[in-house]
Amino acid sequence: MTDVFADLVGQDEAVVTLRRAAASAAALLRAAAPALSRAGAPAAGGADPAGGYDDLDALAEQVDGPGTADDRAGAEPGAGMTHAWIFTGPPGSGRSVAARAFAAALQCVHGTGCGHCPGCHTTLTGTHADVRLVVPEGLSIGVNEMRALVLRAASTPSGGRWQIVIIEDADRLTEAAGNALLKAIEEPPPRTVFLLCAPSTHPDDISVTIRSRCRVVPLRQPPAGAVAEVLVRRDGIAPDVAEWAAAAAQGHVGRARRLARDPEARQRRDAVLAVPRRLTGVGAAFDAASALIEAAEAEAAASVAEVDEAERAALQTALGAGGTGRGAAGAMRGSAGQLKDLEKRQKSRATRAQRDALDRALVDLAGFYRDALTMALRAPVAPVHTDTAALAGAGAQKWEAEGALRRLEAVLECRAAIEANVKPRIAVEAMMLALWKG
């Protein structure tokens, strides 16, 4: 790896912005050190910097004047460092990858994101003491979790650089959790940086008040060629397999890697793309819906089973399971509430995993009908699913453009309904009937 941004595929403009901000952040730390020393406070490197400045933005103006040094050099306005960022983009664009890479660049001892120093290495591996990552396991991020995180984020960075909070899927913040985060962003502690990841800045994804206090880094869907190049270079995948997986994943880097390396993922995809052939009547439509739901449930159960078992065993051990000493039995009798809370969290995680697995299947199905639509329109674009291009072509001749478009809209409406908390089985059954009737 050349630096921390090497895995951010096809996002050249975002990388330039983040590199510039990391350099500005390093300059702020260097400028703060003499001020702290003059004020009698220790320099940056592990002690409390609060005596030197109150706010990151205020320090930036003190060091660079209004606007950053980069602004005066002809860079885009607002290219320097600030305390809150939002990374937006479609699934697979690398929102969380960008946030982690930027966090590593901020913690880099050289201020460049070299990828080799302890700051970069520990941040990318998730072991840095001053970088906290929030990955929602359930359907939402609750207020208690966010309050605890904000409280911890207010502490002084132990490494003397930045205290960083990364929130993946910030669109899952509840209203109360969003309000707790907003207060922290409005009055940020010294040297605390918030990095949020969300699909867009639409109010349905992130509140307007939070958005107005953050700098937005938009990411785009990376081209299939760039994804294939990364799979070959980083994962050692054969070029022809990498090209197929990148096209089938529609630019989603993580999904492309799974398709290229996991035979079971390819089998699940094949089963989904066989759905159009199975829709021969009402009964077949309901059968196809059941098969799709059951496949998503099985995939989700397999993905969380090992983690669930390990969590339950660890909790039981902590509560004294298997103990023979005095009071061990009584301790286990009093543990029912904690076990119930764990089961509740695990159930929420399983539901999220089922929704994610089903959504991946729907994306594949949407890709098939997109291919049929482009073929019906004779559009000069490559198919998403090259291995089912013949079937999509047959569908294009049978349905024509209007019929293919209606079927594509049915799949997209199903995704939207599930996102709006419609029962997945009901939404998928309605979709299958719509696909059959056309």
Side-chain angles (χ1 to χ4, degrees), residues 246-281:
Q250 302 178 58
H252 193 302
V253 181
R255 179 147 173 73
R257 186 183 301 113
R258 281 194 298 272
L259 287 174
R261 303 177 67 175
D262 185 358
E264 292 185 0
R266 292 195 291 270
Q267 291 173 4
R268 288 191 292 267
R269 172 182 170 276
D270 291 342
V272 170
L273 295 180
V275 164
R277 290 197 300 263
R278 299 178 56 184
L279 300 178
T280 57

PDB file of all heavy atoms in Angstrom, residues 246-281:
ATOM      1  N   ALA A 246     -16.617  -7.002 -11.166  1.00  0.00           N
ATOM      2  CA  ALA A 246     -16.803  -5.553 -11.060  1.00  0.00           C
ATOM      3  C   ALA A 246     -18.051  -5.101 -11.804  1.00  0.00           C
ATOM      4  O   ALA A 246     -18.807  -4.244 -11.324  1.00  0.00           O
ATOM      5  CB  ALA A 246     -15.569  -4.835 -11.604  1.00  0.00           C
ATOM      6  N   ALA A 247     -18.297  -5.682 -12.989  1.00  0.00           N
ATOM      7  CA  ALA A 247     -19.502  -5.322 -13.745  1.00  0.00           C
ATOM      8  C   ALA A 247     -20.755  -5.832 -13.046  1.00  0.00           C
ATOM      9  O   ALA A 247     -21.752  -5.109 -12.930  1.00  0.00           O
ATOM     10  CB  ALA A 247     -19.419  -5.897 -15.153  1.00  0.00           C
ATOM     11  N   ALA A 248     -20.718  -7.073 -12.555  1.00  0.00           N
ATOM     12  CA  ALA A 248     -21.892  -7.652 -11.897  1.00  0.00           C
ATOM     13  C   ALA A 248     -22.229  -6.926 -10.607  1.00  0.00           C
ATOM     14  O   ALA A 248     -23.401  -6.825 -10.228  1.00  0.00           O
ATOM     15  CB  ALA A 248     -21.647  -9.134 -11.615  1.00  0.00           C
ATOM     16  N   ALA A 249     -21.213  -6.404  -9.903  1.00  0.00           N
ATOM     17  CA  ALA A 249     -21.445  -5.695  -8.644  1.00  0.00           C
ATOM     18  C   ALA A 249     -21.834  -4.243  -8.860  1.00  0.00           C
ATOM     19  O   ALA A 249     -22.111  -3.529  -7.893  1.00  0.00           O
ATOM     20  CB  ALA A 249     -20.188  -5.767  -7.785  1.00  0.00           C
ATOM     21  N   GLN A 250     -21.847  -3.781 -10.102  1.00  0.00           N
ATOM     22  CA  GLN A 250     -22.269  -2.427 -10.448  1.00  0.00           C
ATOM     23  C   GLN A 250     -21.471  -1.371  -9.684  1.00  0.00           C
ATOM     24  O   GLN A 250     -22.013  -0.404  -9.157  1.00  0.00           O
ATOM     25  CB  GLN A 250     -23.770  -2.258 -10.194  1.00  0.00           C
ATOM     26  CG  GLN A 250     -24.614  -3.263 -10.976  1.00  0.00           C
ATOM     27  CD  GLN A 250     -26.096  -3.145 -10.696  1.00  0.00           C
ATOM     28  OE1 GLN A 250     -26.676  -2.083 -10.896  1.00  0.00           O
ATOM     29  NE2 GLN A 250     -26.710  -4.226 -10.253  1.00  0.00           N
ATOM     30  N   GLY A 251     -20.148  -1.596  -9.615  1.00  0.00           N
ATOM     31  CA  GLY A 251     -19.273  -0.616  -8.985  1.00  0.00           C
ATOM     32  C   GLY A 251     -19.138  -0.736  -7.485  1.00  0.00           C
ATOM     33  O   GLY A 251     -18.428   0.058  -6.867  1.00  0.00           O
ATOM     34  N   HIS A 252     -19.794  -1.705  -6.857  1.00  0.00           N
ATOM     35  CA  HIS A 252     -19.710  -1.900  -5.406  1.00  0.00           C
ATOM     36  C   HIS A 252     -18.467  -2.738  -5.114  1.00  0.00           C
ATOM     37  O   HIS A 252     -18.419  -3.930  -5.425  1.00  0.00           O
ATOM     38  CB  HIS A 252     -20.972  -2.608  -4.921  1.00  0.00           C
ATOM     39  CG  HIS A 252     -21.131  -2.584  -3.431  1.00  0.00           C
ATOM     40  ND1 HIS A 252     -20.184  -3.108  -2.577  1.00  0.00           N
ATOM     41  CD2 HIS A 252     -22.128  -2.102  -2.646  1.00  0.00           C
ATOM     42  CE1 HIS A 252     -20.594  -2.959  -1.332  1.00  0.00           C
ATOM     43  NE2 HIS A 252     -21.763  -2.340  -1.349  1.00  0.00           N
ATOM     44  N   VAL A 253     -17.461  -2.118  -4.509  1.00  0.00           N
ATOM     45  CA  VAL A 253     -16.166  -2.772  -4.350  1.00  0.00           C
ATOM     46  C   VAL A 253     -16.275  -4.012  -3.467  1.00  0.00           C
ATOM     47  O   VAL A 253     -15.767  -5.089  -3.800  1.00  0.00           O
ATOM     48  CB  VAL A 253     -15.128  -1.794  -3.769  1.00  0.00           C
ATOM     49  CG1 VAL A 253     -13.772  -2.480  -3.630  1.00  0.00           C
ATOM     50  CG2 VAL A 253     -15.014  -0.555  -4.645  1.00  0.00           C
ATOM     51  N   GLY A 254     -16.936  -3.895  -2.323  1.00  0.00           N
ATOM     52  CA  GLY A 254     -17.052  -5.023  -1.413  1.00  0.00           C
ATOM     53  C   GLY A 254     -17.809  -6.189  -2.020  1.00  0.00           C
ATOM     54  O   GLY A 254     -17.423  -7.357  -1.864  1.00  0.00           O
ATOM     55  N   ARG A 255     -18.889  -5.883  -2.713  1.00  0.00           N
ATOM     56  CA  ARG A 255     -19.669  -6.955  -3.340  1.00  0.00           C
ATOM     57  C   ARG A 255     -18.884  -7.594  -4.477  1.00  0.00           C
ATOM     58  O   ARG A 255     -18.953  -8.813  -4.678  1.00  0.00           O
ATOM     59  CB  ARG A 255     -20.988  -6.406  -3.860  1.00  0.00           C
ATOM     60  CG  ARG A 255     -21.850  -7.441  -4.548  1.00  0.00           C
ATOM     61  CD  ARG A 255     -23.320  -7.190  -4.343  1.00  0.00           C
ATOM     62  NE  ARG A 255     -24.139  -8.088  -5.139  1.00  0.00           N
ATOM     63  CZ  ARG A 255     -24.310  -9.372  -4.899  1.00  0.00           C
ATOM     64  NH1 ARG A 255     -23.701  -9.948  -3.879  1.00  0.00           N
ATOM     65  NH2 ARG A 255     -25.094 -10.115  -5.659  1.00  0.00           N
ATOM     66  N   ALA A 256     -18.126  -6.815  -5.224  1.00  0.00           N
ATOM     67  CA  ALA A 256     -17.298  -7.376  -6.294  1.00  0.00           C
ATOM     68  C   ALA A 256     -16.282  -8.356  -5.729  1.00  0.00           C
ATOM     69  O   ALA A 256     -16.040  -9.429  -6.294  1.00  0.00           O
ATOM     70  CB  ALA A 256     -16.591  -6.252  -7.050  1.00  0.00           C
ATOM     71  N   ARG A 257     -15.693  -8.006  -4.591  1.00  0.00           N
ATOM     72  CA  ARG A 257     -14.726  -8.912  -3.970  1.00  0.00           C
ATOM     73  C   ARG A 257     -15.393 -10.214  -3.540  1.00  0.00           C
ATOM     74  O   ARG A 257     -14.835 -11.300  -3.708  1.00  0.00           O
ATOM     75  CB  ARG A 257     -14.068  -8.226  -2.774  1.00  0.00           C
ATOM     76  CG  ARG A 257     -12.931  -9.039  -2.159  1.00  0.00           C
ATOM     77  CD  ARG A 257     -12.333  -8.376  -0.943  1.00  0.00           C
ATOM     78  NE  ARG A 257     -11.801  -7.062  -1.268  1.00  0.00           N
ATOM     79  CZ  ARG A 257     -12.309  -5.915  -0.811  1.00  0.00           C
ATOM     80  NH1 ARG A 257     -13.355  -5.925  -0.011  1.00  0.00           N
ATOM     81  NH2 ARG A 257     -11.776  -4.779  -1.151  1.00  0.00           N
ATOM     82  N   ARG A 258     -16.593 -10.103  -2.959  1.00  0.00           N
ATOM     83  CA  ARG A 258     -17.303 -11.323  -2.531  1.00  0.00           C
ATOM     84  C   ARG A 258     -17.633 -12.209  -3.725  1.00  0.00           C
ATOM     85  O   ARG A 258     -17.474 -13.432  -3.669  1.00  0.00           O
ATOM     86  CB  ARG A 258     -18.588 -10.951  -1.780  1.00  0.00           C
ATOM     87  CG  ARG A 258     -18.381 -10.530  -0.349  1.00  0.00           C
ATOM     88  CD  ARG A 258     -19.677 -10.520   0.422  1.00  0.00           C
ATOM     89  NE  ARG A 258     -20.624  -9.563  -0.134  1.00  0.00           N
ATOM     90  CZ  ARG A 258     -20.684  -8.293   0.221  1.00  0.00           C
ATOM     91  NH1 ARG A 258     -19.846  -7.819   1.127  1.00  0.00           N
ATOM     92  NH2 ARG A 258     -21.568  -7.470  -0.309  1.00  0.00           N
ATOM     93  N   LEU A 259     -18.120 -11.608  -4.809  1.00  0.00           N
ATOM     94  CA  LEU A 259     -18.465 -12.404  -5.988  1.00  0.00           C
ATOM     95  C   LEU A 259     -17.232 -13.087  -6.582  1.00  0.00           C
ATOM     96  O   LEU A 259     -17.312 -14.218  -7.064  1.00  0.00           O
ATOM     97  CB  LEU A 259     -19.124 -11.512  -7.040  1.00  0.00           C
ATOM     98  CG  LEU A 259     -20.552 -11.061  -6.754  1.00  0.00           C
ATOM     99  CD1 LEU A 259     -21.019 -10.072  -7.811  1.00  0.00           C
ATOM    100  CD2 LEU A 259     -21.502 -12.250  -6.689  1.00  0.00           C
ATOM    101  N   ALA A 260     -16.110 -12.399  -6.537  1.00  0.00           N
ATOM    102  CA  ALA A 260     -14.902 -12.957  -7.131  1.00  0.00           C
ATOM    103  C   ALA A 260     -14.301 -14.078  -6.293  1.00  0.00           C
ATOM    104  O   ALA A 260     -13.665 -14.986  -6.824  1.00  0.00           O
ATOM    105  CB  ALA A 260     -13.868 -11.846  -7.341  1.00  0.00           C
ATOM    106  N   ARG A 261     -14.529 -14.034  -4.980  1.00  0.00           N
ATOM    107  CA  ARG A 261     -13.831 -14.961  -4.097  1.00  0.00           C
ATOM    108  C   ARG A 261     -14.727 -16.000  -3.423  1.00  0.00           C
ATOM    109  O   ARG A 261     -14.219 -16.998  -2.911  1.00  0.00           O
ATOM    110  CB  ARG A 261     -13.090 -14.163  -3.012  1.00  0.00           C
ATOM    111  CG  ARG A 261     -12.122 -13.147  -3.564  1.00  0.00           C
ATOM    112  CD  ARG A 261     -11.451 -12.325  -2.487  1.00  0.00           C
ATOM    113  NE  ARG A 261     -10.562 -13.139  -1.659  1.00  0.00           N
ATOM    114  CZ  ARG A 261      -9.782 -12.637  -0.712  1.00  0.00           C
ATOM    115  NH1 ARG A 261      -9.773 -11.332  -0.483  1.00  0.00           N
ATOM    116  NH2 ARG A 261      -8.994 -13.406  -0.013  1.00  0.00           N
ATOM    117  N   ASP A 262     -16.042 -15.768  -3.393  1.00  0.00           N
ATOM    118  CA  ASP A 262     -16.935 -16.634  -2.622  1.00  0.00           C
ATOM    119  C   ASP A 262     -17.875 -17.395  -3.562  1.00  0.00           C
ATOM    120  O   ASP A 262     -18.795 -16.801  -4.132  1.00  0.00           O
ATOM    121  CB  ASP A 262     -17.747 -15.784  -1.639  1.00  0.00           C
ATOM    122  CG  ASP A 262     -18.608 -16.632  -0.717  1.00  0.00           C
ATOM    123  OD1 ASP A 262     -18.608 -17.871  -0.864  1.00  0.00           O
ATOM    124  OD2 ASP A 262     -19.282 -16.060   0.158  1.00  0.00           O
ATOM    125  N   PRO A 263     -17.705 -18.695  -3.705  1.00  0.00           N
ATOM    126  CA  PRO A 263     -18.601 -19.474  -4.581  1.00  0.00           C
ATOM    127  C   PRO A 263     -20.059 -19.427  -4.124  1.00  0.00           C
ATOM    128  O   PRO A 263     -20.965 -19.428  -4.965  1.00  0.00           O
ATOM    129  CB  PRO A 263     -18.032 -20.897  -4.497  1.00  0.00           C
ATOM    130  CG  PRO A 263     -16.611 -20.719  -4.077  1.00  0.00           C
ATOM    131  CD  PRO A 263     -16.600 -19.514  -3.184  1.00  0.00           C
ATOM    132  N   GLU A 264     -20.286 -19.371  -2.817  1.00  0.00           N
ATOM    133  CA  GLU A 264     -21.665 -19.319  -2.322  1.00  0.00           C
ATOM    134  C   GLU A 264     -22.339 -18.010  -2.722  1.00  0.00           C
ATOM    135  O   GLU A 264     -23.535 -17.993  -3.027  1.00  0.00           O
ATOM    136  CB  GLU A 264     -21.688 -19.492  -0.808  1.00  0.00           C
ATOM    137  CG  GLU A 264     -21.275 -20.884  -0.335  1.00  0.00           C
ATOM    138  CD  GLU A 264     -21.430 -21.042   1.157  1.00  0.00           C
ATOM    139  OE1 GLU A 264     -21.862 -20.072   1.821  1.00  0.00           O
ATOM    140  OE2 GLU A 264     -21.135 -22.140   1.664  1.00  0.00           O
ATOM    141  N   ALA A 265     -21.596 -16.919  -2.715  1.00  0.00           N
ATOM    142  CA  ALA A 265     -22.160 -15.639  -3.161  1.00  0.00           C
ATOM    143  C   ALA A 265     -22.557 -15.711  -4.623  1.00  0.00           C
ATOM    144  O   ALA A 265     -23.607 -15.183  -5.026  1.00  0.00           O
ATOM    145  CB  ALA A 265     -21.149 -14.513  -2.935  1.00  0.00           C
ATOM    146  N   ARG A 266     -21.749 -16.376  -5.438  1.00  0.00           N
ATOM    147  CA  ARG A 266     -22.089 -16.527  -6.859  1.00  0.00           C
ATOM    148  C   ARG A 266     -23.337 -17.406  -7.025  1.00  0.00           C
ATOM    149  O   ARG A 266     -24.180 -17.146  -7.893  1.00  0.00           O
ATOM    150  CB  ARG A 266     -20.905 -17.113  -7.617  1.00  0.00           C
ATOM    151  CG  ARG A 266     -19.715 -16.166  -7.698  1.00  0.00           C
ATOM    152  CD  ARG A 266     -18.709 -16.616  -8.744  1.00  0.00           C
ATOM    153  NE  ARG A 266     -18.017 -17.840  -8.347  1.00  0.00           N
ATOM    154  CZ  ARG A 266     -16.894 -17.872  -7.656  1.00  0.00           C
ATOM    155  NH1 ARG A 266     -16.340 -16.732  -7.239  1.00  0.00           N
ATOM    156  NH2 ARG A 266     -16.302 -19.016  -7.365  1.00  0.00           N
ATOM    157  N   GLN A 267     -23.466 -18.444  -6.210  1.00  0.00           N
ATOM    158  CA  GLN A 267     -24.643 -19.304  -6.293  1.00  0.00           C
ATOM    159  C   GLN A 267     -25.908 -18.547  -5.908  1.00  0.00           C
ATOM    160  O   GLN A 267     -26.961 -18.708  -6.541  1.00  0.00           O
ATOM    161  CB  GLN A 267     -24.452 -20.525  -5.385  1.00  0.00           C
ATOM    162  CG  GLN A 267     -23.378 -21.496  -5.869  1.00  0.00           C
ATOM    163  CD  GLN A 267     -23.108 -22.601  -4.871  1.00  0.00           C
ATOM    164  OE1 GLN A 267     -23.771 -22.695  -3.833  1.00  0.00           O
ATOM    165  NE2 GLN A 267     -22.130 -23.443  -5.173  1.00  0.00           N
ATOM    166  N   ARG A 268     -25.815 -17.711  -4.861  1.00  0.00           N
ATOM    167  CA  ARG A 268     -26.985 -16.924  -4.461  1.00  0.00           C
ATOM    168  C   ARG A 268     -27.379 -15.955  -5.572  1.00  0.00           C
ATOM    169  O   ARG A 268     -28.567 -15.753  -5.842  1.00  0.00           O
ATOM    170  CB  ARG A 268     -26.689 -16.169  -3.166  1.00  0.00           C
ATOM    171  CG  ARG A 268     -26.622 -17.049  -1.938  1.00  0.00           C
ATOM    172  CD  ARG A 268     -26.591 -16.228  -0.670  1.00  0.00           C
ATOM    173  NE  ARG A 268     -25.364 -15.474  -0.528  1.00  0.00           N
ATOM    174  CZ  ARG A 268     -24.290 -15.895   0.135  1.00  0.00           C
ATOM    175  NH1 ARG A 268     -24.305 -17.098   0.701  1.00  0.00           N
ATOM    176  NH2 ARG A 268     -23.226 -15.142   0.242  1.00  0.00           N
ATOM    177  N   ARG A 269     -26.386 -15.365  -6.214  1.00  0.00           N
ATOM    178  CA  ARG A 269     -26.676 -14.450  -7.328  1.00  0.00           C
ATOM    179  C   ARG A 269     -27.337 -15.202  -8.472  1.00  0.00           C
ATOM    180  O   ARG A 269     -28.311 -14.718  -9.068  1.00  0.00           O
ATOM    181  CB  ARG A 269     -25.379 -13.791  -7.792  1.00  0.00           C
ATOM    182  CG  ARG A 269     -25.512 -12.974  -9.062  1.00  0.00           C
ATOM    183  CD  ARG A 269     -24.176 -12.383  -9.480  1.00  0.00           C
ATOM    184  NE  ARG A 269     -24.253 -11.800 -10.820  1.00  0.00           N
ATOM    185  CZ  ARG A 269     -24.116 -12.474 -11.937  1.00  0.00           C
ATOM    186  NH1 ARG A 269     -23.883 -13.799 -11.902  1.00  0.00           N
ATOM    187  NH2 ARG A 269     -24.204 -11.864 -13.109  1.00  0.00           N
ATOM    188  N   ASP A 270     -26.841 -16.391  -8.801  1.00  0.00           N
ATOM    189  CA  ASP A 270     -27.437 -17.180  -9.881  1.00  0.00           C
ATOM    190  C   ASP A 270     -28.902 -17.503  -9.584  1.00  0.00           C
ATOM    191  O   ASP A 270     -29.752 -17.476 -10.489  1.00  0.00           O
ATOM    192  CB  ASP A 270     -26.650 -18.479 -10.083  1.00  0.00           C
ATOM    193  CG  ASP A 270     -25.254 -18.234 -10.650  1.00  0.00           C
ATOM    194  OD1 ASP A 270     -25.020 -17.137 -11.188  1.00  0.00           O
ATOM    195  OD2 ASP A 270     -24.397 -19.135 -10.529  1.00  0.00           O
ATOM    196  N   ALA A 271     -29.199 -17.808  -8.310  1.00  0.00           N
ATOM    197  CA  ALA A 271     -30.575 -18.122  -7.931  1.00  0.00           C
ATOM    198  C   ALA A 271     -31.482 -16.907  -8.110  1.00  0.00           C
ATOM    199  O   ALA A 271     -32.628 -17.028  -8.560  1.00  0.00           O
ATOM    200  CB  ALA A 271     -30.618 -18.611  -6.480  1.00  0.00           C
ATOM    201  N   VAL A 272     -30.964 -15.727  -7.780  1.00  0.00           N
ATOM    202  CA  VAL A 272     -31.758 -14.507  -7.941  1.00  0.00           C
ATOM    203  C   VAL A 272     -32.020 -14.232  -9.416  1.00  0.00           C
ATOM    204  O   VAL A 272     -33.150 -13.900  -9.820  1.00  0.00           O
ATOM    205  CB  VAL A 272     -31.035 -13.313  -7.286  1.00  0.00           C
ATOM    206  CG1 VAL A 272     -31.726 -12.001  -7.661  1.00  0.00           C
ATOM    207  CG2 VAL A 272     -31.009 -13.475  -5.777  1.00  0.00           C
ATOM    208  N   LEU A 273     -30.999 -14.378 -10.261  1.00  0.00           N
ATOM    209  CA  LEU A 273     -31.159 -14.079 -11.679  1.00  0.00           C
ATOM    210  C   LEU A 273     -31.983 -15.130 -12.408  1.00  0.00           C
ATOM    211  O   LEU A 273     -32.365 -14.926 -13.562  1.00  0.00           O
ATOM    212  CB  LEU A 273     -29.782 -13.952 -12.338  1.00  0.00           C
ATOM    213  CG  LEU A 273     -28.943 -12.781 -11.831  1.00  0.00           C
ATOM    214  CD1 LEU A 273     -27.592 -12.731 -12.528  1.00  0.00           C
ATOM    215  CD2 LEU A 273     -29.681 -11.459 -12.025  1.00  0.00           C
ATOM    216  N   ALA A 274     -32.291 -16.241 -11.736  1.00  0.00           N
ATOM    217  CA  ALA A 274     -33.174 -17.243 -12.324  1.00  0.00           C
ATOM    218  C   ALA A 274     -34.644 -16.916 -12.078  1.00  0.00           C
ATOM    219  O   ALA A 274     -35.529 -17.574 -12.642  1.00  0.00           O
ATOM    220  CB  ALA A 274     -32.849 -18.626 -11.757  1.00  0.00           C
ATOM    221  N   VAL A 275     -34.907 -15.912 -11.242  1.00  0.00           N
ATOM    222  CA  VAL A 275     -36.295 -15.569 -10.896  1.00  0.00           C
ATOM    223  C   VAL A 275     -37.143 -15.249 -12.123  1.00  0.00           C
ATOM    224  O   VAL A 275     -38.285 -15.734 -12.241  1.00  0.00           O
ATOM    225  CB  VAL A 275     -36.309 -14.401  -9.880  1.00  0.00           C
ATOM    226  CG1 VAL A 275     -37.705 -13.769  -9.797  1.00  0.00           C
ATOM    227  CG2 VAL A 275     -35.880 -14.891  -8.505  1.00  0.00           C
ATOM    228  N   PRO A 276     -36.677 -14.421 -13.096  1.00  0.00           N
ATOM    229  CA  PRO A 276     -37.550 -14.099 -14.241  1.00  0.00           C
ATOM    230  C   PRO A 276     -38.042 -15.330 -14.996  1.00  0.00           C
ATOM    231  O   PRO A 276     -39.166 -15.321 -15.521  1.00  0.00           O
ATOM    232  CB  PRO A 276     -36.643 -13.223 -15.120  1.00  0.00           C
ATOM    233  CG  PRO A 276     -35.687 -12.591 -14.160  1.00  0.00           C
ATOM    234  CD  PRO A 276     -35.422 -13.647 -13.137  1.00  0.00           C
ATOM    235  N   ARG A 277     -37.240 -16.389 -15.049  1.00  0.00           N
ATOM    236  CA  ARG A 277     -37.676 -17.603 -15.746  1.00  0.00           C
ATOM    237  C   ARG A 277     -38.736 -18.360 -14.962  1.00  0.00           C
ATOM    238  O   ARG A 277     -39.512 -19.131 -15.545  1.00  0.00           O
ATOM    239  CB  ARG A 277     -36.468 -18.534 -15.980  1.00  0.00           C
ATOM    240  CG  ARG A 277     -35.483 -18.018 -16.994  1.00  0.00           C
ATOM    241  CD  ARG A 277     -34.562 -19.148 -17.467  1.00  0.00           C
ATOM    242  NE  ARG A 277     -33.813 -19.716 -16.358  1.00  0.00           N
ATOM    243  CZ  ARG A 277     -32.569 -19.372 -16.043  1.00  0.00           C
ATOM    244  NH1 ARG A 277     -31.948 -18.456 -16.758  1.00  0.00           N
ATOM    245  NH2 ARG A 277     -31.946 -19.937 -15.036  1.00  0.00           N
ATOM    246  N   ARG A 278     -38.786 -18.164 -13.646  1.00  0.00           N
ATOM    247  CA  ARG A 278     -39.690 -18.926 -12.786  1.00  0.00           C
ATOM    248  C   ARG A 278     -41.086 -18.331 -12.708  1.00  0.00           C
ATOM    249  O   ARG A 278     -42.004 -18.972 -12.208  1.00  0.00           O
ATOM    250  CB  ARG A 278     -39.111 -19.031 -11.378  1.00  0.00           C
ATOM    251  CG  ARG A 278     -37.768 -19.733 -11.306  1.00  0.00           C
ATOM    252  CD  ARG A 278     -37.232 -19.771  -9.890  1.00  0.00           C
ATOM    253  NE  ARG A 278     -38.164 -20.393  -8.964  1.00  0.00           N
ATOM    254  CZ  ARG A 278     -37.956 -20.471  -7.646  1.00  0.00           C
ATOM    255  NH1 ARG A 278     -36.865 -19.957  -7.123  1.00  0.00           N
ATOM    256  NH2 ARG A 278     -38.848 -21.050  -6.857  1.00  0.00           N
ATOM    257  N   LEU A 279     -41.263 -17.098 -13.180  1.00  0.00           N
ATOM    258  CA  LEU A 279     -42.541 -16.406 -13.010  1.00  0.00           C
ATOM    259  C   LEU A 279     -43.507 -16.814 -14.118  1.00  0.00           C
ATOM    260  O   LEU A 279     -43.733 -16.083 -15.086  1.00  0.00           O
ATOM    261  CB  LEU A 279     -42.308 -14.893 -12.998  1.00  0.00           C
ATOM    262  CG  LEU A 279     -41.393 -14.376 -11.876  1.00  0.00           C
ATOM    263  CD1 LEU A 279     -41.199 -12.881 -11.987  1.00  0.00           C
ATOM    264  CD2 LEU A 279     -41.968 -14.743 -10.512  1.00  0.00           C
ATOM    265  N   THR A 280     -44.096 -17.997 -13.938  1.00  0.00           N
ATOM    266  CA  THR A 280     -45.013 -18.522 -14.953  1.00  0.00           C
ATOM    267  C   THR A 280     -46.472 -18.437 -14.543  1.00  0.00           C
ATOM    268  O   THR A 280     -47.352 -18.782 -15.328  1.00  0.00           O
ATOM    269  CB  THR A 280     -44.663 -19.989 -15.237  1.00  0.00           C
ATOM    270  OG1 THR A 280     -44.718 -20.738 -14.019  1.00  0.00           O
ATOM    271  CG2 THR A 280     -43.258 -20.098 -15.832  1.00  0.00           C
ATOM    272  N   GLY A 281     -46.751 -17.989 -13.312  1.00  0.00           N
ATOM    273  CA  GLY A 281     -48.131 -17.885 -12.843  1.00  0.00           C
ATOM    274  C   GLY A 281     -48.171 -17.312 -11.445  1.00  0.00           C
ATOM    275  O   GLY A 281     -47.126 -17.002 -10.844  1.00  0.00           O
TER     276      GLY A 281
END
